[in-house]
């Protein structure tokens, strides 16, 4: 049998298998479960209800700003008042509505499959942050919470983001030594105090970030206190430029 005929036959068999799988397990919307045309996607209604971030954003924290980009670096009032310990940050979504539901499902609803499409959205939102030889690292989760959830959602996002971008990823570059309480309702000073000494570099991974740009990945950026602690640890460990990419950003008025 000629090789071309053999390849063509195998391709037709594969098509039939894929068709059978689609009939048994049709593609469904990640948001509502309705039928969709493609796997790992949103239906039209859920897409419209998902608040993707676009247009002008603060270069330092990724929050949307009024106006249009003019080619100059723009920062929000908070970031101008208190500079961030990283070079730039972006987020794909606003943490509200359908986006909030999807992220809570990923974080607490045992829906790890959501990380794959989410990483695609993040890759698009963070395209201006990508640098050659950049190392991707997730915000670490304390082992006790890891046991309870079974996975670190930020690590899942980082791993899928690495596949989308072709960059290296180090899931355990950083360690959370202390199980910190929820930071909601705390002042900036209280958040910093709570996180003091809670995060450290993995001693066996220090060589991987030395002299390299690092992209920190998290599911949600609120005040940025945890990301600040991570960025400072990376800087002290010898990282070059540090960038931040989150799946969602809490709006200022939220």
């Amino acid at each position: 049998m000629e090789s071309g005929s053999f390849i063509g036959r195998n391709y037709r068999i594969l098509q039939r298998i894929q068709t059978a799988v689609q009939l048994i397990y049709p593609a469904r919307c990640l948001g509502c479960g309705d039928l969709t045309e493609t796997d790992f996607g949103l239906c039209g209604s859920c897409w419209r209800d998902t608040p993707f971030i676009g247009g002008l954003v603060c270069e330092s924290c990724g929050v949307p700003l009024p106006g249009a980009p003019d080619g100059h670096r723009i920062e929000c009032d908070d970031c101008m008042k208190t500079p961030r310990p990283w070079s730039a940050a972006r987020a794909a979504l606003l943490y509200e509505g359908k986006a909030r539901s999807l992220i809570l499902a990923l974080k607490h609803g045992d829906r790890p499959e959501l990380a794959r499409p989410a990483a695609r959205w993040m890759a698009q939102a963070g395209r201006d942050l990508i640098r050659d030889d950049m190392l991707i690292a997730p915000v670490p989760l304390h082992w006790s919470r890891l046991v309870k959830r079974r996975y670190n959602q930020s690590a899942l996002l980082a791993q899928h983001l690495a596949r989308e971008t072709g960059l290296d990823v180090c899931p355990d570059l950083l360690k959370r030594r202390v199980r910190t309480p929820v930071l909601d309702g705390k002042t900036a000073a209280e958040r910093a105090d709570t996180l003091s000494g809670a995060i450290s570099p993995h001693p066996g991974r220090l060589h991987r970030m030395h002299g390299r740009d690092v992209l920190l990945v998290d599911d949600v950026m609120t005040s940025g206190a945890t990301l600040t602690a991570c960025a400072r640890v990376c800087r002290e460990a010898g990282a070059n430029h540090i960038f931040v990419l989150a799946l969602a950003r809490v709006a200022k008025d939220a």
Side-chain angles (χ1 to χ4, degrees):
M1 182 182 296
E2 295 183 359
S3 60
S5 175
F6 177 77
I7 293 173
R9 180 186 177 190
N10 282 352
Y11 179 73
R12 289 192 295 273
I13 292 174
L14 179 60
Q15 282 186 313
R16 291 178 186 138
I17 293 173
Q18 290 176 333
T19 300
V21 170
Q22 290 172 351
L23 289 173
I24 299 172
Y25 303 105
R28 293 189 176 276
C29 172
L30 295 171
C32 66
D34 285 350
L35 295 177
T36 58
E37 295 183 359
T38 59
D39 289 322
F40 305 107
L42 296 171
C43 67
S45 178
C46 286
W47 183 270
R48 289 189 298 271
D49 292 340
T50 303
F52 288 91
I53 294 176
L56 185 65
V57 299
C58 172
E59 289 287 335
S60 291
C61 73
V63 73
L65 296 175
D70 60 4
H72 294 87
R73 183 181 178 91
I74 303 294
E75 292 185 328
C76 66
D77 292 342
D78 288 350
C79 290
M80 291 178 65
K81 181 180 178 180
T82 307
R84 305 284 184 172
W86 55 75
S87 298
R90 294 290 187 276
L93 309 167
L94 278 176
Y95 188 61
E96 58 187 40
K98 183 63 69 173
R100 185 174 185 274
S101 300
L102 289 170
I103 292 169
L104 288 176
L106 169 65
K107 195 169 185 175
H108 301 294
D110 199 21
R111 295 282 307 277
E113 74 277 7
L114 295 174
R116 178 177 171 185
R120 292 176 182 169
W121 303 335
M122 294 171 70
Q124 179 66 22
R127 60 190 180 279
D128 294 337
L129 307 183
I130 303 303
R131 303 289 189 275
D132 292 337
D133 196 37
M134 176 178 268
L135 180 65
I136 299 176
V139 168
L141 193 66
H142 190 260
W143 69 266
S144 61
R145 288 196 171 100
L146 184 60
V147 168
K148 183 178 180 180
R149 296 182 192 173
R150 297 189 300 109
Y151 58 84
N152 176 0
Q153 69 280 356
S154 296
L156 285 180
L157 291 170
Q159 289 169 333
H160 283 289
L161 184 63
R163 297 189 184 102
E164 291 291 326
T165 60
L167 296 173
D168 290 341
V169 61
C170 186
D172 58 348
L173 185 71
L174 303 176
K175 299 173 61 179
R176 191 179 288 257
R177 301 168 54 196
V178 179
R179 177 170 177 165
T180 54
V182 176
L183 300 177
D184 293 347
K186 294 182 180 294
T187 65
E190 289 172 338
R191 291 168 186 258
D193 184 63
T194 299
L195 288 164
S196 178
I199 295 173
S200 64
H202 190 300
R205 308 288 184 266
L206 285 172
H207 66 283
R208 297 200 61 182
M209 75 170 100
H210 187 75
R212 297 177 71 179
D213 292 340
V214 173
L215 180 65
L216 295 172
V217 170
D218 204 1
D219 56 346
V220 180
M221 179 178 174
T222 307
S223 69
T226 302
L227 286 160
T228 292
C230 291
R232 286 175 176 164
V233 165
C234 290
R235 183 79 69 189
E236 293 168 0
N240 190 21
H241 298 102
I242 300 165
F243 300 86
V244 166
L245 183 56
L247 174 56
R249 179 72 169 92
V250 174
K252 297 287 185 178
D253 57 0

